[in-house]
Amino acid sequence: MYSDPAPDRRLVACPDCDLLLRLPVLEDGASARCPRCDYELWRRRAGSRARCLPLALAAAVLYVLANAVPMLGLEAVGHRASTTVVGGALELWADGRELVAVLVLFTAVVAPALQIGLMLAILVGSRRAPAPRWVGTLLRHHPAAVLWSMIEVMMLGVLVALIKIADYATVVPGPALWMLAVLVVLLATMQSLFDPREVWARVGWAADGATDAAAPDTAEARP
Amino acid sequence: MAAGLQRCEGCGLVSRPPAHAPEPRCPRCDTALEFRKPDSLQRTVAYLVAAAICYVPANLLPVLTTRTAAGESSDTILEGVVLLWSPTGWPLSLIVLFASIMIPSAKIVALGYLVLSVRRGWAQSPAQRTRLYRMVGFIGRWSMVDVFVDTFTAALVQLQPLMSVEPAVGLVFFAAVVVLTMLAVESFDPRLIWDAAGANEVRHA
């Protein structure tokens, strides 16, 4: 059974301490914090969808390239070896550590792809208001993809491995390593520019025909 | 006044469910509305206990096996930290020490403390405990570092017949600790800290 919309669309409850608050009118880039537990309730980023789209597209291209070319190479006494991110995980699988291989594949390959793919779908799907409801469904699951996407952690791991291996052999950084480094910066910038509230305000409601079109923060988000 | 209003976990919309709705749903995104994460403490404790059990073999069993012409040697996480320690390598050694040994144990202790504080109904300093919870969530993902280090070390060092490195069974337990502690953080509901402190009593009236 559906509930009634709140009497006031600027009403929020702090996700960390449940304090009920009314969001102030914010200038672009300003943020509202919970006065009780200091949670950042909202940072207004005007036009965040338009600014995130080129970043998400660039991230998608870099992601594909970075997974297609070698990331690390090794040279020792006439031997040469190189590996990609996926290749590293497959080697784990071949060595009988299937569970760890699945975890590495998930956090370094699948979750980043979901993070970028969901963001692209959300941005494209919300071009027209009211946006279809599937945009809301994807937006709801996007934070989980971000949580498990660990490219920056992998970069640190690769650097440590590089230096460890340098004791036995010559390590050659592959082109994918540099692409991944840029991808880490791109994804961090994209996440910090993204304002999910702006998208939620455009999503069509599940309850019959209701939309958020007349809500105060929608009117404010669209000049 | 605040009673009866519910925040949607999916989209954040605050709405007022009809008085006798058996299963209220969010009118915007159709997520089932809950006052708190269901069975939060039980699930957090279950993940924590499982993580604590895996933490022992993760630290005692070797994570990497190195085969050379001279023979075979296996290193645990701590031995890996010691091996990395050199005039140039000590910052990396510290990174692995923090990420693989200190962060997972600190996470288990901190979350255990938070669960205990809620169970006992402690009223003091809820804001500090909420900040501790946020910090645990923020640093937690970095304990995956050693899993990536060992993966790429083993994948790359295949110089048969001279030398090869293979992942050992300790790595499986260590990866389990990382995943279980992340799930424990996700299951814990920080609003319970404020309920225990009596700060949200109006909401349940």
Side-chain angles (χ1 to χ4, degrees):
Chain A
M1 194 182 226
Y2 283 115
S3 43
D4 301 328
D8 181 346
R9 210 54 46 74
R10 302 195 75 85
L11 213 54
V12 293
C14 175
D16 271 12
C17 80
D18 218 22
L19 187 66
L20 199 60
L21 296 151
R22 185 161 283 119
L23 280 179
V25 176
L26 290 182
E27 293 194 6
D28 188 22
S31 69
R33 289 184 167 273
C34 174
R36 191 162 75 171
C37 76
D38 203 40
Y39 181 91
E40 187 178 283
L41 295 159
W42 183 35
R43 181 179 292 277
R44 186 167 169 239
R45 297 115 169 152
S48 89
R49 289 177 315 111
R51 282 199 264 169
C52 283
L53 190 59
L55 289 172
L57 284 171
V61 173
L62 262 182
Y63 171 87
V64 172
L65 288 176
N67 279 292
V69 298
M71 181 178 65
L72 282 178
L74 185 77
E75 282 176 19
V77 284
H79 287 66
R80 274 169 161 274
S82 75
T83 187
T84 58
V85 180
V86 178
L90 291 182
E91 189 69 41
L92 266 183
W93 185 285
D95 284 338
R97 306 293 167 216
E98 292 87 355
L99 282 176
V100 188
V102 168
L103 179 65
V104 167
L105 266 184
F106 181 66
T107 54
V109 182
V110 178
L114 282 175
Q115 180 185 5
I116 299 166
L118 291 183
M119 180 61 90
L120 272 177
I122 290 163
L123 293 174
V124 172
S126 64
R127 284 178 85 90
R128 270 182 299 166
R133 276 192 49 212
W134 57 260
V135 172
T137 309
L138 298 186
L139 188 53
R140 204 166 92 201
H141 293 106
H142 188 245
V146 177
L147 175 73
W148 291 96
S149 157
M150 301 191 187
I151 289 188
E152 76 282 19
V153 182
M154 186 190 75
M155 286 293 299
L156 184 62
V158 168
L159 286 180
V160 176
L162 265 175
I163 293 172
K164 242 174 109 169
I165 299 169
D167 286 349
Y168 331 119
T170 310
V171 192
V172 189
L177 197 60
W178 310 111
M179 296 178 193
L180 285 167
V182 178
L183 188 58
V184 169
V185 178
L186 272 184
L187 289 180
T189 313
M190 183 181 85
Q191 283 313 131
S192 73
L193 283 177
F194 185 58
D195 181 355
R197 244 184 114 76
E198 191 186 335
V199 178
W200 276 122
R202 300 169 73 93
V203 173
W205 283 37
D208 17 295
T211 57
D212 216 354
D217 60 294
T218 322
E220 186 194 72
R222 281 181 292 171
Chain B
M1 176 187 89
L5 289 175
Q6 265 178 294
R7 175 186 189 274
C8 171
E9 282 287 314
C11 73
L13 183 78
V14 174
S15 62
R16 187 190 306 280
H20 301 295
E23 284 167 0
R25 305 189 80 87
C26 173
R28 181 157 71 182
C29 74
D30 204 36
T31 304
L33 291 175
E34 312 262 10
F35 274 110
R36 296 292 176 264
K37 291 182 190 172
D39 306 319
S40 167
L41 288 188
Q42 288 90 326
R43 295 195 312 138
T44 308
V45 169
Y47 286 130
L48 275 185
V49 169
I53 291 170
C54 289
Y55 187 77
V56 179
N59 281 283
L60 292 181
L61 297 177
V63 287
L64 283 181
T65 304
T66 309
R67 283 177 228 278
T68 58
E72 196 180 295
S73 71
S74 294
D75 300 322
T76 60
I77 293 175
L78 196 61
E79 284 163 348
V81 171
V82 175
L83 277 179
L84 264 175
W85 193 271
S86 68
T88 49
W90 64 267
L92 298 159
S93 174
L94 277 185
I95 289 174
V96 177
L97 179 69
F98 266 96
S100 309
I101 296 175
M102 322 242 314
I103 292 181
S105 51
K107 266 171 97 172
I108 294 173
V109 172
L111 272 180
Y113 161 76
L114 290 177
V115 168
L116 191 74
S117 81
V118 169
R119 278 257 170 92
R120 294 276 165 88
W122 292 351
Q124 75 277 30
S125 59
Q128 261 117 304
R129 280 182 281 144
T130 307
R131 230 167 285 149
L132 175 68
Y133 169 73
R134 258 175 241 154
M135 213 167 75
V136 168
F138 180 72
I139 60 168
R141 52 198 282 117
W142 291 96
S143 47
M144 268 291 279
V145 161
D146 207 44
V147 175
F148 290 120
V149 173
D150 296 343
T151 298
F152 291 108
T153 306
L156 217 54
V157 185
Q158 301 295 336
L159 301 166
Q160 261 89 1
L162 289 172
M163 180 186 201
S164 73
V165 176
E166 272 167 34
V169 72
L171 188 59
V172 181
F173 287 101
F174 181 72
V177 172
V178 178
V179 173
L180 289 168
T181 50
M182 283 185 72
L183 292 173
V185 171
E186 285 304 292
S187 321
F188 185 79
D189 193 335
R191 290 171 295 186
L192 296 175
I193 296 173
W194 295 86
D195 292 340
N200 289 321
E201 268 166 2
V202 188
R203 302 295 301 266
H204 301 298

